[in-house]
Amino acid sequence: MLTRRTVIKLGAVAAAGFPRFAIGQTAKIRIGVMLPFTGTYASLGEMGISGLKLALSQHGNKFGGREVEIVTLDDESDPARAPSNATKLIKGDNVDILFGTVHSGVAMGMVKVARETNTLMVIPNAGVAAATGPLCAPNIFRSSMTMWQPAFPMGKVAYDRGYRNVVSITWKYVAGEESIAGFKEGFEAAGGKVVKEITVPFPDVEFQANLAEIASLKPDAVFTFFSGGGAVKFVKDYAAAGLRKSIPLLGSGFLTEGTLEAIGEPAEGILTTLHYADTLDLPANKKFRAEFKKAYGKDPDLFAVQGYDAGELLAVGLGAVKGDVNAKTELYSSMERTVLDSPRGHLAFSPSHNPIQDIYLREVRKGQNIVLNVAAKAVSDPSRGCKMMPA
Ligand code: PHB
């Protein structure tokens, strides 16, 4: 019998998160994609969304049996506008999931809004430690890395190559600073010394004065974090300043991702560490690269892989709850337990929702990042400060 009481009870069930699509089963899952589509990181944003869309198309444009609709927003790598942009997607466009971004400062603004609104957020690139550290949360996942993960193993590599005094140079913002800190931790633990840390404002690309300073300091090597358009300019300027032959350039592998064609010959010989390489001899990588090329007519890079894996992670999680984004406990625990046969290799997730993955040592040869060896196996970020509460 349908009494007033049962109606109230049904109302309570709806409020507690009964799936919206129960009426008519037609509602689509809406994913709000916040990425940079302009500026120095534009190509990274383009690759990220292409990877996501490839995963989606391989699942018939459905996650967990529900159609997916993507709403995009160019975040312009502008941290100041990140909270209002994320709020607009969630409140204005009614997205169920927040997907983004590349720039760590922007990601921090998104994390704040995702935590306040308890919206599922997947980070396909930004490496800021706090997102899976002090600000970790049941609803926040990352398919990429922390800045520490690829940078730390380079410390030992550099020391083993005989370098003792290294100068670092990066953009002055959280991702650059955490990348340098990761390298420094590994390098100084091995016995080396970072003798000078140079920074330039983000996204500036005027390096002349800094390169002159490096020339006068004469370190054994230079370690750097730059990416996108800025990486292209830095590597070219480094060679043009005549430093390339005398002072080896080392980096987190972002430096030589998606940039080799634009840099050309000056990139040859650069040594980097990263959780991916185009040339990885793995069946999943070959398949992914062929399918990406078929879909977009160009070769993917790390940023496409991370977008693709974020899509695969969502496919698994939403598959487990049949597309019900409100079945949070089951959705998050299924995502947490996901193990992917990623183009980068075996990919699992830590309790803080950050990837556990191998870090490869790569060298640029004939315009390609060639894998020399695995610099560190199954690297997991320490996730300092993460206290995960139940969903
Ligand atoms: C970041 O801001 O976290 C970031 C940006 C570009 C990269 C990697 C990390 O290539």
Side-chain angles (χ1 to χ4, degrees), residues 40-41 44 77 101-107 123 125-129 142 144-147 150 171 173-176 178-179 202 225-228 252-255 257 274-275 302-303 306:
T40 202
Y41 288 157
L44 287 69
S77 294
T101 185
V102 166
H103 185 287
S104 274
V106 178
I123 305 170
N125 183 69
V128 59
R142 172 150 53 197
S144 51
M145 76 288 140
T146 59
M147 300 313 291
W171 278 313
Y173 84 103
V174 63
E178 291 185 1
S179 182
F202 177 88
F225 165 79
F226 287 109
S227 186
S252 270
F254 310 107
L255 188 70
E257 280 301 304
L274 196 68
H275 44 298
L302 166 78
F303 308 106
Q306 294 176 157

Side-chain angles (χ1 to χ4, degrees), residues 146-348:
T146 59
M147 300 313 291
W148 180 90
Q149 280 180 297
F152 178 80
M154 182 50 99
K156 183 167 177 343
V157 170
Y159 188 85
D160 289 347
R161 294 236 162 187
Y163 309 142
R164 296 294 178 265
N165 299 309
V166 166
V167 169
S168 68
I169 178 164
T170 189
W171 278 313
K172 189 170 177 52
Y173 84 103
V174 63
E177 287 161 347
E178 291 185 1
S179 182
I180 302 306
F183 169 77
K184 187 173 172 174
E185 190 184 329
F187 188 53
E188 299 199 341
K193 179 110 191 87
V194 175
V195 292
K196 174 98 197 189
E197 296 177 34
I198 300 172
T199 56
V200 293
F202 177 88
D204 285 8
V205 289
E206 286 312 316
F207 302 117
Q208 292 319 317
N210 312 118
L211 293 170
E213 187 182 3
I214 291 171
S216 73
L217 288 166
K218 296 193 178 56
D220 300 331
V222 167
F223 177 83
T224 186
F225 165 79
F226 287 109
S227 186
V232 173
K233 176 77 164 39
F234 180 76
V235 174
K236 282 185 164 177
D237 285 4
Y238 194 85
L243 298 178
R244 187 177 154 209
K245 293 280 180 289
S246 50
I247 310 173
L249 187 56
L250 314 172
S252 270
F254 310 107
L255 188 70
T256 55
E257 280 301 304
T259 55
L260 292 179
E261 215 176 292
I263 300 170
E265 204 278 330
E268 291 295 304
I270 294 178
L271 213 54
T272 62
T273 37
L274 196 68
H275 44 298
Y276 180 66
D278 296 354
T279 54
L280 275 180
D281 191 12
L282 300 171
N285 189 38
K286 295 202 164 129
K287 183 166 173 283
F288 166 75
R289 297 192 68 81
E291 282 163 5
F292 190 97
K293 181 113 191 197
K294 193 164 159 234
Y296 302 106
K298 59 182 169 191
D299 292 317
D301 58 18
L302 166 78
F303 308 106
V305 171
Q306 294 176 157
Y308 180 76
D309 287 342
E312 288 297 303
L313 178 62
L314 285 170
V316 173
L318 290 164
V321 295
K322 301 197 169 46
D324 182 0
V325 285
N326 292 318
K328 293 180 190 293
T329 311
E330 203 187 331
L331 171 60
Y332 302 159
S333 80
S334 153
M335 288 175 73
E336 211 173 274
R337 285 181 276 114
T338 299
V339 176
L340 295 176
D341 182 17
S342 161
R344 77 185 85 173
H346 184 270
L347 175 60

